[in-house]
Amino acid sequence: MTATPATVIQIAESVVAEINAGSFSKTNLSAQRLYVPNFDLEDMKELRVTVVPREVEYLPLDRASNKYHATIDVAVQKKFSKGDAKEIDPLVFFVEELADYFRLKRLNSFVAARCIKVENSVLYSSEHWTQFNQFTSLLSLTFELAK
């Protein structure tokens, strides 16, 4: 008997599927779900999109069910050579495309979950920029469902 994955995992997997199937300015995407994104700098020459389940909040809805909030982080990372606007602006635009795509979206493979909040709290990591010549942006998506 195969156990059903935790709800937060089902949502994260659905986010991966949506990104991989989506039509965005960046093509040939291969988003993946990880718990701890840990890549060598050599691996960062290609665009990396990593989906990480981050947080779950259970709020009482009624006596028998909860309102469930799952926060999923989407990291967009790529090593750059110059770090000028020509190189970075398309990455910032791609992050914005993802934000627009998920805003109020119901997931195709998990329609019970609807994205109620999109936050780009880290437009780019200045630490990764200066230490690794790497663009790292973090998008946080909060999905809600009754459970």
Side-chain angles (χ1 to χ4, degrees), residues 5 11 16 35 39 41 45 47 52 62 75 78 83 97-98 102 106 109 118 120 128 138 140:
I11 292 170
V16 168
Y35 285 104
F39 303 110
L41 276 177
K45 290 179 180 176
L47 178 66
V52 179
D62 57 33
K78 186 171 190 318
E97 279 182 302
L98 290 174
F102 282 103
R106 286 202 182 271
S109 60
V118 178
N120 189 198
H128 286 194
L138 186 65
S140 295

Side-chain angles (χ1 to χ4, degrees), residues 24-44:
F24 301 105
S25 60
K26 297 293 181 187
T27 56
N28 299 325
L29 288 176
S30 183
Q32 59 182 331
R33 180 179 66 85
L34 297 172
Y35 285 104
V36 181
N38 187 12
F39 303 110
D40 291 329
L41 276 177
E42 278 298 309
D43 297 335
M44 301 312 289

Side-chain angles (χ1 to χ4, degrees), residues 5-12 14 55-62 65-72 105-107 109-117 142-147:
T7 303
V8 70
I9 301 306
Q10 293 177 60
I11 292 170
S14 295
E55 178 177 279
V56 177
E57 181 180 25
Y58 300 90
L59 303 165
L61 186 60
D62 57 33
S65 59
N66 289 310
K67 189 185 297 184
Y68 183 93
H69 287 176
T71 302
I72 308 295
K105 169 117 177 105
R106 286 202 182 271
L107 295 166
S109 60
F110 199 81
V111 293
R114 182 174 64 101
C115 187
I116 59 165
K117 182 179 178 185
T142 301
F143 291 87
E144 179 179 81
L145 66 143
K147 183 175 173 191

Side-chain angles (χ1 to χ4, degrees), residues 56-93:
V56 177
E57 181 180 25
Y58 300 90
L59 303 165
L61 186 60
D62 57 33
R63 288 182 176 201
S65 59
N66 289 310
K67 189 185 297 184
Y68 183 93
H69 287 176
T71 302
I72 308 295
D73 286 339
V74 178
V76 174
Q77 299 175 290
K78 186 171 190 318
K79 187 166 175 52
F80 58 78
S81 54
K82 294 181 182 175
D84 58 9
K86 182 181 175 189
E87 197 173 11
I88 301 302
D89 287 356
L91 296 170
V92 174
F93 178 73

